[in-house]
Structures are given as C-alpha cells and as structure tokens.
C-alpha cells in the first residue's frame, strides 16, 4: 500500500507543473495589477502544494498533513481539493488517526471525482474496518459496486456485509456472504463461525454441525485455549443441542476448556442438555459450580430456576424451597432496581454513565457508586452491540490520546480539527450506547417478569409434590435421601489428602463438585 501511495504522490507532483505548462500555451493578454497579484498567489499555493506532496513522499507525514489540511481549505485550489484530501487522508492513516482520516475520504467521495472518489472508498472501507464503525462502512459500500473493489479487500467486504445481514436477521444471505470469505483471509475463521450461527438461526443444525466441524478440523493443531477452536467447539455443542442429540451435545460441551471465557456458558447450557437426557445427578453437580461464590457477579436467574426444576424431577422439595427462596432474594431487588431506574430517567446519557462506571469496575477491579446492581450491568456489558460500541469508543480515546500527546500537533489547525471530530463522534457514540443499555434493561425487566411467573408455577408444583410426599411418609413409604451404603474412599487416591473446600472457592476447585444424593421419588 505504501508503494502505491508513493507512486500516487509522485504522479501528483506532476500536476502543478503540467498545469503551468498548459497556461504557457495560451495567448498572452494584458492584465491589471490585481490579476498579476492573483496569479502570483496561485503560483505560491502551487509551490506549497508541491512541497507538501514532497514531504508526504519523504515520510514527513505530520508536516505534510498539516500543510495539506491548510491547502485543502483554499478556494484557489478547489480543482485539486479531491486529490489534496485523499492524500491528506492517507497521511492521517499513517499517523494512526483513522477517524480523522475517514472524514477526509467521505469528503472526497462526495465530490464524485472520477479517480479519487473510488480510491477514497477503498481507503474508507479499511479505516472503517479498523475502527469497527458500521456507519462509515455502510456509507462506503453503498457508494460503489462491490465488484469494483480490489480483490484484496473483497474478503473484508463480504465479511462485514455478512455481519450486517446477520444483525438484520437475513440469515440465508448472511451465510452466503460468510461462505465467500476465502481460506487464508484473516476473516476466515470468524466468517466460518458466523456462517454456522446463521445456519442455526435458519434452523439447519445439520449444516451448522458440518460448518463447525470444518472449523475444528482447520484448527486441530492450535492450542487448547485457541479462541477460534473454543468458539467452534461451543458452536458444535449448541448445534447438537438444537438437533436434540442430547448425549452428543453433553459430550461436546464437556470439551470446552475450563480456563476460557466460554466455559461458564458451556456448563450452564450443558445442564439443560443433562435435564433433557434425564441425567439429573450430573446436572446438579454442574449447579454446585454455577452457583458457587466464584460466580457471584454473574447474572443467571434462569440457572436457579433450572436447578429448581431438576430438584422437582427427583422430588427434593426442601432443596427446591431453598433455591426458589434464593431466586426471589437475589432477583427481587434486581427487578425492583431496574424498574426504578427505568422510571427515573429517559436520558441516554444517564444510561451511558451507569454502564461506564460498571466498565471501570470490570476493567480495574475497583468499586464505584452504582445505581443498578453490578451483575445487571456486567451482563449488559457482555452484549455484542454494547461490547462493540465500547471497543469503538476505546479506539476514539486512543486517537485522541495520540493527538494530545503531541503539543505542537495538538495546537495546529489540523490537531484542533481532529479533536473536534473525536469529541463529536465520542458524544454521539455514548448516546447510542445509552440507548442500547436502555433497550437491554427493558428486555431484562420483561425476562424477569416471565421468570417470576415460571417460579410461581414451579412453586405450585413443589407444594403439590410435597403434599404427595407427606402422604407417602404417613403411609410408611419414606425413601432414603442419599446412597449411604456406597464406599466413597475411592475418590481419594493414595498419597493425597482430602481438602473439603470449606467456605472458600478457587478457580481450580470450580468444576470439581459432585452431587451425591439421589432421587426421592418412587
């Protein structure tokens, strides 16, 4: 790309000279003094432009960018403006000021210049991809035929278009676009994973299983905790669950490594598969992990109700009572605080301020004064749209820091212009994040209302079951609560001491809990 840029700049240096030569062919006419001054000023500007282009060619990007920015505002150089702004944009890309560069390319595209508009679209798609800014990317893509993009950019374009289709729930089109991303592209594995997701949304689990297995085969030699490998394993487990192959799904979930971010979700979803496969004791062993103190910051009301349902199947009514009480004790206040917060404000800035404090807590492990429970905000932070926008904000902050770290550049007109752009983009993005947070809170309030209704039904079943249990007890048909006659010494090998995990929970203990009781039903 740098070689192409140098060639472009080199060719640009010819432009002022060629224009001057053309003027020499015109017949001389007498001019008044003001016109003579105007020609002199134009010649001076042409020289300044030539000098700026030479700076760009020589790698003096900051000096070149400052000069080009000044020249881009001169009315005398209106004809050269697309060229000036395009090269200014490439200089800003070299300085890693991608958001500021994007504005230059958008200006060039609007001029519809036969040469520089097309070049600017290509560059704009690159900076939009770097920033993760869908708005800019959509603008670039909407201005050109996709077949006109250079071959080296088509994988990126197909991948980003697939993402947009996926968000718009156009799953078949999304899968087709992701399928066009070629092997060897940096987008290949993410495209393959998203293709599997789109196939699952299209209710085609068999196709998705093939896609995730293909991804696993391609990453077979990667480390155990490789992100793409783990994502493919998780996708495979979900596809098998959707296909109602419970045992295969349980086995696939078990292959998700413990020391990865997806493991907690894998354990929870595996518990659903175990319930469907009637493996109640195994499911209850998972709940020992899911509801340990290690995960006290996680929002998982559904997990508590699932645990209560498993206890219902094995007639453990006392345990059911404890779990339902824990659900109400934990999520009753959560539900109230979400409702109160939604009633107290409608301002996007207030929702953003709350999520920003939670983001600070999550990234620094320091406390902050929150109006909403941390488990709620942590869950919202993990949602895809919020996570993506927070990442974009981080990119803007990094760009602003680059400008502010250079006092001379910061004081220049271009530096001030860049800071203004970054401030506006940051402000608008924060409002957009605030709206996203509000939407997620509204969904959580609806979800909690539905879960509370389910908790009511489960409690009704518990009361009914308990009544039947008392009847059996009165009639002398009580059942043993644990397998008392089984020798459990085999759990401890020779040379090891038994550590009972009394009141402490460490990561290496999580996942080792086992449920020892048995069902109390006849």
């Amino acid at each position: 790309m740098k070689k192409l840029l140098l060639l472009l700049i080199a060719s640009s240096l010819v432009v002022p000279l060629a224009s001057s030569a053309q003027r020499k062919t015109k017949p001389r006419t007498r001019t008044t003094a003001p016109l003579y001054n105007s020609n002199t000023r134009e010649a001076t500007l042409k020289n300044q432009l030539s000098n700026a282009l030479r700076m760009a060619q020589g790698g003096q990007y900051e000096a070149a960018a400052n000069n080009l920015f000044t020249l881009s505002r001169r009315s005398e150089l209106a004809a050269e403006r697309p060229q000036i702004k395009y090269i200014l944009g490439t200089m800003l890309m070299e300085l890693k000021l991608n958001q500021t560069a994007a504005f230059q390319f958008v200006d060039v595209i609007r001029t519809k210049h036969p040469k520089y508009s097309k070049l600017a679209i290509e560059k704009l798609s690159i900076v939009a991809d770097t920033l993760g800014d869908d708005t800019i990317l959509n603008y670039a893509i909407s201005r050109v035929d996709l077949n006109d993009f250079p071959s080296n950019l088509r994988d990126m374009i197909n991948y980003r278009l697939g993402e947009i289709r996926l968000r718009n729930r156009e799953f078949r089109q999304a899968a087709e676009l992701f399928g066009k991303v070629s092997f060897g592209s940096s987008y290949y594995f993410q495209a393959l994973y998203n293709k599997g997701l789109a196939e699952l949304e299209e209710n085609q689990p068999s196709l998705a299983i093939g896609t995730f297995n293909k991804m696993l085969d391609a990453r077979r030699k990667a480390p155990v905790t490789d992100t793409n490998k783990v994502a493919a394993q998780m996708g495979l487990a979900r596809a098998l669950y959707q296909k109602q192959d419970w045992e295969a799904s349980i086995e696939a979930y078990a292959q998700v490594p413990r020391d990865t971010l997806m493991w907690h979700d894998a354990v929870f979803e595996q518990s659903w598969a175990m319930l469907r496969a009637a493996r109640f004791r195994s499911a209850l062993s998972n709940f020992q992990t899911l509801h340990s103190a290690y995960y006290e910051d996680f929002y998982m009301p559904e997990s508590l109700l699932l645990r209560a349902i498993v206890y219902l199947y094995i007639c453990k009514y006392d345990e059911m009572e404890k779990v339902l009480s824990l659900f109400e004790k934990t999520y009753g206040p959560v539900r109230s605080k979400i409702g109160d917060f939604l009633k107290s404000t409608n301002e996007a800035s207030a929702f953003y301020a709350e999520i920003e404090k939670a983001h600070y807590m999550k990234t620094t492990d320091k406390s902050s004064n929150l109006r909403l429970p941390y488990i709620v905000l942590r869950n919202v932070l993990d949602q895809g749209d919020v996570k993506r926008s927070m990442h974009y904000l981080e990119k803007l902050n990094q760009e602003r820091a680059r400008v502010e770290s250079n006092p001379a550049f910061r004081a220049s007109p271009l530096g001030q212009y860049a800071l203004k752009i970054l401030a506006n983009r940051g402000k608008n993005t924060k409002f957009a994040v605030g709206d996203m947070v509000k939407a997620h809170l509204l969904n959580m309030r609806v979800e909690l209302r539905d879960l509370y209704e389910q908790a009511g039904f489960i409690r009704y079943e518990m009361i009914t079951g308990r009544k039947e249990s008392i009847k059996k007890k009165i009639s002398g048909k009580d059942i043993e609560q644990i397998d008392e006659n089984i020798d459990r010494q085999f759990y401890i090998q020779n040379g090891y001491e038994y550590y009972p995990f009394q009141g402490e929970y460490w990561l290496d203990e999580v996942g080792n809990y086992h449920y020892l009781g048995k069902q109390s039903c006849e």
Side-chain angles (χ1 to χ4, degrees):
M1 186 188 80
K2 187 173 286 185
K3 185 181 288 184
L4 180 63
L5 174 62
L6 293 176
L7 285 171
L8 183 64
I9 293 171
S11 65
S12 301
L13 291 171
V14 177
V15 173
L17 298 176
S19 300
S20 176
Q22 288 167 0
R23 282 199 300 275
K24 287 179 181 178
T25 62
K26 295 179 180 177
R28 290 175 178 274
T29 56
R30 288 182 178 278
T31 57
T32 59
L35 183 58
Y36 174 80
N37 291 337
S38 174
N39 287 340
T40 302
R41 189 166 61 245
E42 185 179 352
T44 303
L45 289 173
K46 296 286 185 183
N47 284 333
Q48 289 177 0
L49 177 57
S50 295
N51 288 334
L53 295 174
R54 286 193 187 93
M55 287 180 186
Q57 190 179 24
Q60 301 175 54
Y61 303 131
E62 185 181 318
N66 270 313
N67 288 338
L68 288 168
F69 179 71
T70 302
L71 292 170
S72 70
R73 296 185 161 189
R74 298 300 298 257
S75 58
E76 299 92 332
L77 296 176
E80 289 86 0
R81 189 167 295 150
Q83 173 196 14
I84 295 171
K85 278 187 164 284
Y86 174 74
I87 298 175
L88 171 60
T90 57
M91 294 297 96
L92 292 168
M93 286 176 72
E94 294 288 347
L95 294 169
K96 299 187 185 307
L97 303 178
N98 290 307
Q99 184 61 69
T100 313
F103 274 63
Q104 308 311 310
F105 296 134
V106 168
D107 285 345
V108 177
I109 293 168
R110 284 175 176 159
T111 64
K112 299 181 180 178
H113 190 280
K115 177 181 178 182
Y116 290 104
S117 288
K118 184 179 177 183
L119 293 171
I121 288 169
E122 294 172 13
K123 287 290 192 295
L124 183 64
S125 62
I126 294 172
V127 296
D129 182 55
T130 305
L131 291 167
D133 189 335
D134 288 344
T135 307
I136 297 176
L137 186 63
N138 286 340
Y139 179 83
I141 292 171
S142 66
R143 292 295 188 277
V144 70
D145 185 341
L146 293 182
N147 294 321
D148 290 340
F149 270 94
S151 57
N152 63 318
L153 293 180
R154 284 182 192 159
D155 285 331
M156 183 270 285
I157 295 296
N158 283 321
Y159 172 73
R160 293 297 183 190
L161 279 176
E163 279 192 323
I164 294 168
R165 295 283 189 179
L166 192 61
R167 279 195 288 277
N168 292 337
R169 305 187 66 77
E170 298 167 344
F171 303 120
R172 184 177 57 78
Q173 296 90 334
E176 288 175 0
L177 286 163
F178 288 131
K180 290 180 181 178
V181 178
S182 57
F183 182 78
S185 164
S186 59
Y187 297 91
Y188 177 71
F189 290 110
Q190 188 61 48
L192 208 55
Y193 177 75
N194 286 351
K195 180 172 181 283
L197 290 185
E199 289 164 345
L200 283 179
E201 294 284 359
E202 276 280 280
N203 198 26
Q204 294 182 319
S206 295
L207 282 180
I209 289 169
T211 301
F212 290 126
N213 274 325
K214 181 181 178 182
M215 190 171 167
L216 279 171
D217 287 340
R219 303 296 298 175
R220 195 157 299 283
K221 293 182 180 178
V224 175
T225 56
D226 174 73
T227 303
N228 289 318
K229 190 174 184 177
V230 174
Q233 186 65 40
M234 192 72 174
L236 176 63
R238 287 170 172 165
L240 289 166
Y241 183 91
Q242 188 166 326
K243 199 180 177 185
Q244 301 189 1
D245 188 346
W246 313 126
E247 293 297 336
S249 174
I250 291 168
E251 180 58 31
Y253 278 122
Q255 299 303 315
V256 176
R258 181 178 306 183
D259 47 351
T260 58
L261 292 175
M262 289 189 176
W263 185 68
H264 182 267
D265 288 342
V267 174
F268 170 63
E269 293 173 24
Q270 185 191 45
S271 304
W272 268 113
M274 288 171 170
L275 173 68
R276 302 297 294 269
R279 290 171 56 173
F280 304 125
R281 184 179 293 185
S282 299
L284 287 171
S285 296
N286 278 2
F287 292 128
Q288 299 291 326
T289 291
L290 291 170
H291 301 148
S292 67
Y294 189 80
Y295 292 114
E296 63 182 2
D297 290 339
F298 283 61
Y299 175 86
M300 45 186 178
E302 186 183 348
S303 177
L304 284 173
L305 293 189
L306 177 59
R307 187 173 186 173
I309 293 170
V310 174
Y311 281 133
L312 177 66
Y313 273 102
I314 61 175
C315 306
K316 291 285 188 182
Y317 305 116
D318 290 343
E319 298 299 327
M320 273 187 78
E321 178 71 48
K322 293 176 187 174
V323 173
L324 289 174
S325 298
L326 179 61
F327 170 79
E328 291 163 356
K329 180 182 176 183
T330 305
Y331 292 100
V334 168
R335 186 184 178 192
S336 299
K337 287 187 177 181
I338 291 176
D340 293 342
F341 191 83
L342 287 169
K343 288 178 185 174
S344 69
T345 182
N346 201 33
E347 297 293 328
S349 57
F351 289 95
Y352 175 77
E354 198 66 3
I355 205 71
E356 186 181 37
K357 286 186 285 184
H359 181 67
Y360 174 76
M361 283 181 66
K362 186 177 180 182
T363 53
T364 65
D365 202 24
K366 293 180 180 177
S367 62
S368 186
N369 187 22
L370 297 172
R371 295 172 62 189
L372 285 166
Y374 178 65
I375 59 172
V376 171
L377 294 168
R378 180 188 172 123
N379 182 272
V380 174
L381 275 172
D382 287 337
Q383 301 303 314
D385 55 349
V386 176
K387 188 184 291 187
R388 188 180 179 87
S389 296
M390 295 299 283
H391 180 68
Y392 173 59
L393 271 176
E394 189 178 335
K395 294 274 187 182
L396 294 182
N397 290 333
Q398 289 171 357
E399 188 166 330
R400 187 180 63 190
R402 284 191 199 99
V403 175
E404 291 183 336
S405 65
N406 185 339
F409 184 70
R410 185 185 190 285
S412 69
L414 179 56
Q416 292 296 305
Y417 169 78
L419 289 175
K420 186 178 179 182
I421 285 176
L422 294 169
N424 285 335
R425 294 294 294 171
K427 180 182 175 184
N428 292 335
T429 305
K430 287 176 181 177
F431 283 145
V433 172
D435 289 336
M436 293 174 198
V437 173
K438 181 182 177 183
H440 286 299
L441 290 176
L442 287 169
N443 289 336
M444 291 173 89
R445 186 172 65 173
V446 172
E447 180 194 54
L448 282 173
R449 184 190 64 199
D450 293 342
L451 290 175
Y452 260 79
E453 288 182 4
Q454 292 179 35
F457 290 128
I458 294 170
R459 187 175 286 282
Y460 171 79
E461 294 294 336
M462 180 190 73
I463 293 170
T464 304
R466 182 173 272 165
K467 186 172 72 176
E468 294 299 320
S469 176
I470 292 171
K471 286 181 181 177
K472 291 172 187 173
K473 201 169 188 177
I474 293 173
S475 62
K477 295 180 180 178
D478 195 16
I479 297 173
E480 296 175 348
Q481 297 299 304
I482 60 171
D483 303 332
E484 292 91 347
N485 297 326
I486 295 178
D487 181 4
R488 303 191 183 283
Q489 292 300 316
F490 62 85
Y491 284 118
I492 307 170
Q493 298 177 31
N494 291 335
Y496 291 87
E497 292 183 359
Y498 176 67
Y499 177 54
F501 303 152
Q502 290 181 349
E504 295 184 7
Y505 297 90
W506 301 91
L507 182 59
D508 58 350
E509 297 171 2
V510 173
N512 289 320
Y513 309 118
H514 296 281
Y515 181 77
L516 301 180
K518 66 178 185 179
Q519 69 165 308
S520 299
C521 308
E522 282 190 351

